[in-house]
Structure formats: structure tokens, C-alpha cells
Amino acid sequence: MAVELFELVGDDDRRFSPYCWRARMALAHKGIEADYIPVGFTEKDRIAFSGQQLVPVLRDGEKIVSDSWEIACYLEDAYPDHPTLFGGAIGRGQARFFHEWAPHMSAPIMRTMLKDIFDRVRPEDRDYFRASRKARFGKTLEELNATRGDYRDAIDKGVAPLRALLTYQPFLCGDAPAYADYILFGHFQTAAIMSPEIFVAPGDALYEWCEKLRDLFGGLGRQFGGMPD
Amino acid sequence: MAVELFELVGDDDRRFSPYCWRARMALAHKGIEADYIPVGFTEKDRIAFSGQQLVPVLRDGEKIVSDSWEIACYLEDAYPDHPTLFGGAIGRGQARFFHEWAPHMSAPIMRTMLKDIFDRVRPEDRDYFRASRKARFGKTLEELNATRGDYRDAIDKGVAPLRALLTYQPFLCGDAPAYADYILFGHFQTAAIMSPEIFVAPGDALYEWCEKLRDLFGGLGRQFGGMPD
């Protein structure tokens, strides 16, 4: 049986979860063929077999792994002869930092585009999305959207170290991409797929980096609904 | 001729530059004996041979290297059979991120303790320190010090990803320390050596990590003037 990855889906087959992009890129980096199974916000029954409620979920034969970090570690350890995601123990240790840092880096971007996401989730998931964000932020999507322009400085501040790094070298992991690149890339994929707002533009080192990552694995990062031309 | 490291010194032989601590820990990690030569803020003539004005400067025979990152890369490449600082190309690429991130992480801590540093640099360097900080911040040390309490939230926000990581694993580089740990550790050494303020306290994962790093290499991180008991 092929490896299966269960991942979040929006309207128009948009695969938009940053965490699912991590797993998707990790599988491609390892050269592992997989079936990608879409799961809407209100289809948690489809991953009930995993014993928890969040995507991504990986099923590899009898093995079931949830949580993007655990999936990366599983793939690295179960497929040691495939291209490495971490480059050894030090690389793995450092990569975990980006798992912790990514939500801080991306929070102002995600905060800005909540209404854009709402507009692009499946129609049957919109009530769920609206209620869950109200619970998380204490405000309606419309109230949150009204202040979206307030986050421009925070966005620039959040990405500043990554932007500086990518001015120095082509990838976070050096001359070639590896898992830590994919950790952060997922958030920019979410933004590109779910929002018409331009968060990174040509001439920005972040833009060039995103474009190179989208070109990998036969243009995997461009094959989904919602990607700009 | 022994390897020499030229590093910043304050009053009471305090070796307090975060960038010099990176080089010092890198040398110790590599197991390379070195002479450590103190340089005050107003003794730039002592490093004129390096063709620039900043410490750390490493001299290894005919080779002269300035800039903490260049020093780490030089040591890794010139001493490949010694313990590794990066663990390979991916680890080196990722480590460079911390070089970029460290000033962002530590800025609110450094902003808080400018007057403390002033009080602990060599008396003959105080005019230089006062004037250079006035030029950088546009305010006097006393004006800056009056608002030092305003940075508590920014400090916590700055270190949050590192603190979260160290709750998950003992070192930034995983189960054992390597160069990326030293990049960040240097800033906490500066704070411990130059300020009476407690930025990290027992019970904090950051504190436990600092203590473990200070214990390395025969307690190297405790051997200098100004360290608390």
C-alpha cells in the first residue's frame, strides 16, 4: 500500500496548511511516492484512525504518525538511505528551533489574512472557521480584517532574520534546501495560495527563495489551486 | 606560535563581548589552545594588523581572521579532525541563521543594560562608550536607563522560541552543544558579566542551558571577572 498523507484542503482543491506543506515537501525531498488525501476542517472523522484531530497525518503501512515534526523525524529515521532532511544530529537539533520559531515569524502574516482564508476554505467549513477564530482571537473575522493594515511593520520585523540570511546564502540550509527550509516555506505557501495580498515581491530575497522552492520536485509548489500565475 | 584571540575587555578583566564569547567557545569546542589577548574599546591600535577595527580577531600563524562567523568557519575548515562545530553543510547553513537572529533576540536585553555596561567598562573607555551609544541611540545613557523597565515584555518575546526549544531538548544543537549554542550563549554571558539584573533565573529552561554551557571545558564560562557566584 502506498504511503498516504492526509492534508487540509480548501475550496478549489487548495492545499493550504503550512504544516501539511512541511510533510509534503519532506516526502518529495525523500523521494517517497505518496497519495495525498484532502481533509476539510469539518471532516475530522477521516483522520479519526490517528487518535487525534489534526493534519497532517502520515500512514505508512501499519505506521501512523501525526504532527509535522514527528513525520519528518519518522521519514528521516525510516528512510535513512534517501536524501537527508537534517544532515545529522546537529542539523536535526537546529531544525527543531525553526519548528518553534515559525509561528512567531508568521503570526503577523496569518493575522493579516484571516478573512482571505475564510473566503477560500470550503463553503461547508466556513461556519467552523468563523467560530474557531472567534474563540481564538476574541473578535469576529470582520473586526480582525478591519485592522489588517496594522501589521505591516510586524511582518517585516518577523521575517527580518530570514530575509537577512537569504541575502547571504540561497537557502536556510546553505547551498541546497532541506527540512528547515520547508518548515518556513509552508507559511509562505499558505499566504500565496489563500490571499491575494502580496507579502513577498520580486526583488526581495524571500521571493527568490520561495520561487526556487516552488520549482523543486517538478514544480510541486505550483500544482495547486489558488497559486498565482 | 600559539593561536591568539584578541577579545574585548572591561574593568576587572571582564571578557564581555558576545561575539568574542562565540570565538572563545568555538576554540574550546575544537580543543585548540589559545592565548587570549584583552583589547579595550580605545585600544584599536592593538588589532590594526587585522586591517579593521572590530574584535574578535584570530591569529593562527600567518592566518588572520576577523568576524566571529568567519572565525568559526575558519576553525571548522582548518581543523576538520577536531570536534565539529556545525555537523556538516546543512548544520552550517542553519547555524548562519542564528548569527542573523541573535541580535534580534538580544536587542531588548542589551537595550536594558547599557548603563550597566558603561559602569563596568574600563574607566579609560567610558568616554568612548558614552559617545558611541549616544550616536547610535540618539539619547544619553541616563535617558536610556530611565526607560529600562519598559523592555520586559520585549525580552520575553525575543527569547520565547529559544525558551520553547530548550523545554523540548537540552541544547539548541540537540543532545550536545555546538556552534549555534555558542552564538546565542554569548549574549547571556554578556548580560551575566556586565549587569546585576537577573535576566534568566533558576527554573527557566534558559537558565539551565546557560549553566550547562558555563560548565563546559573546565568551567570556561565562569572564569572571568564579574561572573556571579
Side-chain angles (χ1 to χ4, degrees), chain A residues 91-107:
Chain A
R92 186 185 300 214
Q94 291 173 346
R96 175 73 195 192
F97 174 85
F98 299 98
H99 180 94
E100 304 290 353
W101 184 67
H104 294 268
M105 178 205 74
S106 63

Side-chain angles (χ1 to χ4, degrees), chain A residues 179-224:
Chain A
Y179 187 66
D181 286 278
Y182 310 143
I183 291 176
L184 302 177
F185 173 61
H187 294 274
F188 295 96
Q189 282 294 83
T190 301
I193 292 170
M194 297 300 269
S195 176
E197 184 156 339
I198 304 298
F199 292 99
V200 292
D204 183 341
L206 278 168
Y207 176 86
E208 308 305 329
W209 170 73
C210 283
E211 287 293 288
K212 281 181 284 190
L213 289 169
R214 286 183 187 124
D215 285 339
L216 294 175
F217 318 124
L220 180 66
R222 303 182 190 281
Q223 294 170 5
F224 296 92

Side-chain angles (χ1 to χ4, degrees), chain B residues 103-153:
Chain B
H104 294 268
M105 177 205 74
S106 63
I109 297 174
M110 296 301 146
R111 170 62 184 73
T112 297
M113 56 181 284
L114 287 168
K115 180 61 164 56
D116 301 341
I117 295 176
F118 173 79
D119 292 339
R120 290 164 184 80
V121 299
R122 300 183 320 155
E124 57 268 47
D125 293 336
R126 286 181 190 156
D127 287 348
Y128 166 86
F129 188 82
R130 180 180 285 284
S132 61
R133 269 51 191 177
K134 180 71 159 53
R136 185 181 302 176
F137 293 98
K139 294 182 179 175
T140 66
L141 288 172
E142 289 70 22
E143 286 170 336
L144 292 163
N145 202 48
T147 55
R148 65 184 289 159
D150 296 351
Y151 292 83
R152 194 67 242 177
D153 285 352

Side-chain angles (χ1 to χ4, degrees), chain B:
Chain B
M1 196 169 80
V3 172
E4 293 175 320
L5 186 74
F6 294 78
E7 56 180 9
L8 194 62
V9 70
D11 206 7
D12 192 25
D13 199 35
R14 296 170 197 254
R15 309 290 169 108
F16 70 97
S17 158
Y19 304 97
C20 294
W21 270 104
R22 297 180 189 182
R24 184 178 265 274
M25 296 295 281
L27 281 162
H29 184 100
K30 280 286 187 188
I32 298 168
E33 298 258 341
D35 292 334
Y36 293 89
I37 297 147
V39 180
F41 275 121
T42 53
E43 297 180 306
K44 294 192 191 299
D45 55 306
R46 301 185 72 173
I47 54 167
F49 69 88
S50 70
Q52 53 86 59
Q53 299 210 312
L54 300 174
V55 287
V57 173
L58 181 85
R59 182 151 61 187
D60 185 4
E62 297 294 302
K63 184 75 179 177
I64 296 163
V65 190
S66 57
D67 181 279
S68 62
W69 176 257
E70 295 302 326
I71 289 171
C73 290
Y74 167 76
L75 293 174
E76 186 77 345
D77 296 334
Y79 298 90
D81 298 332
H82 293 234
T84 182
L85 291 167
F86 299 126
I90 291 175
R92 185 184 300 214
Q94 292 173 346
R96 174 74 194 193
F97 174 85
F98 298 99
H99 179 94
E100 304 290 353
W101 184 68
H104 294 268
M105 177 205 74
S106 63
I109 297 174
M110 296 301 146
R111 170 62 184 73
T112 297
M113 56 181 284
L114 287 168
K115 180 61 164 56
D116 301 341
I117 295 176
F118 173 79
D119 292 339
R120 290 164 184 80
V121 299
R122 300 183 320 155
E124 57 268 47
D125 293 336
R126 286 181 190 156
D127 287 348
Y128 166 86
F129 188 82
R130 180 180 285 284
S132 61
R133 269 51 191 177
K134 180 71 159 53
R136 185 181 302 176
F137 293 98
K139 294 182 179 175
T140 66
L141 288 172
E142 289 70 22
E143 286 170 336
L144 292 163
N145 202 48
T147 55
R148 65 184 289 159
D150 296 351
Y151 292 83
R152 194 67 242 177
D153 285 352
I155 290 171
D156 278 334
K157 194 172 174 188
V159 302
L162 180 60
R163 184 175 272 147
L165 177 73
L166 296 171
T167 304
Y168 178 80
Q169 64 192 30
F171 295 99
L172 177 52
C173 293
D175 290 333
Y179 187 65
D181 286 277
Y182 310 143
I183 291 176
L184 302 177
F185 173 62
H187 295 273
F188 295 97
Q189 281 295 84
T190 300
I193 291 169
M194 296 300 269
S195 175
E197 185 156 336
I198 304 298
F199 292 100
V200 292
D204 183 340
L206 278 169
Y207 176 87
E208 308 304 330
W209 170 76
C210 283
E211 288 293 288
K212 281 182 284 189
L213 289 169
R214 287 183 186 124
D215 285 339
L216 294 174
F217 317 125
L220 180 66
R222 303 182 190 282
Q223 294 171 4
F224 296 92
M227 282 301 295
D229 294 335

Side-chain angles (χ1 to χ4, degrees), chain A:
Chain A
M1 195 168 79
V3 172
E4 293 176 320
L5 187 74
F6 294 78
E7 58 180 7
L8 194 61
V9 70
D11 206 6
D12 192 25
D13 198 36
R14 295 171 197 255
R15 308 292 169 107
F16 71 97
S17 158
Y19 304 98
C20 295
W21 270 104
R22 298 180 189 182
R24 183 177 265 274
M25 296 293 282
L27 281 162
H29 184 100
K30 279 287 188 190
I32 298 168
E33 298 256 342
D35 292 333
Y36 294 89
I37 298 148
V39 181
F41 275 121
T42 53
E43 298 180 306
K44 296 191 191 298
D45 55 305
R46 300 184 72 172
I47 54 167
F49 69 88
S50 71
Q52 54 85 59
Q53 299 210 310
L54 300 174
V55 286
V57 173
L58 181 85
R59 182 151 61 187
D60 185 5
E62 297 294 304
K63 184 75 180 177
I64 294 163
V65 190
S66 57
D67 182 278
S68 62
W69 176 256
E70 295 301 327
I71 288 171
C73 290
Y74 167 75
L75 293 174
E76 185 76 345
D77 296 335
Y79 297 90
D81 299 332
H82 293 234
T84 181
L85 291 168
F86 299 126
I90 292 176
R92 186 185 300 214
Q94 291 173 346
R96 175 73 195 192
F97 174 85
F98 299 98
H99 180 94
E100 304 290 353
W101 184 67
H104 294 268
M105 178 205 74
S106 63
I109 297 174
M110 296 300 144
R111 170 62 183 73
T112 298
M113 56 181 282
L114 287 169
K115 180 62 164 56
D116 300 341
I117 296 176
F118 173 80
D119 291 338
R120 290 164 183 80
V121 300
R122 301 184 318 157
E124 58 267 48
D125 292 337
R126 287 180 189 155
D127 287 348
Y128 167 87
F129 188 81
R130 180 178 284 287
S132 61
R133 268 52 191 177
K134 180 72 158 57
R136 185 182 301 176
F137 293 98
K139 293 181 179 174
T140 66
L141 289 172
E142 288 71 21
E143 287 169 336
L144 292 163
N145 203 48
T147 56
R148 65 185 290 159
D150 296 351
Y151 292 83
R152 194 66 242 180
D153 285 352
I155 290 171
D156 278 335
K157 195 173 174 187
V159 301
L162 180 61
R163 183 174 273 148
L165 177 73
L166 296 171
T167 304
Y168 178 80
Q169 64 191 31
F171 296 99
L172 176 53
C173 293
D175 290 333
Y179 187 66
D181 286 278
Y182 310 143
I183 291 176
L184 302 177
F185 173 61
H187 294 274
F188 295 96
Q189 282 294 83
T190 301
I193 292 170
M194 297 300 269
S195 176
E197 184 156 339
I198 304 298
F199 292 99
V200 292
D204 183 341
L206 278 168
Y207 176 86
E208 308 305 329
W209 170 73
C210 283
E211 287 293 288
K212 281 181 284 190
L213 289 169
R214 286 183 187 124
D215 285 339
L216 294 175
F217 318 124
L220 180 66
R222 303 182 190 281
Q223 294 170 5
F224 296 92
M227 283 301 295
D229 293 334

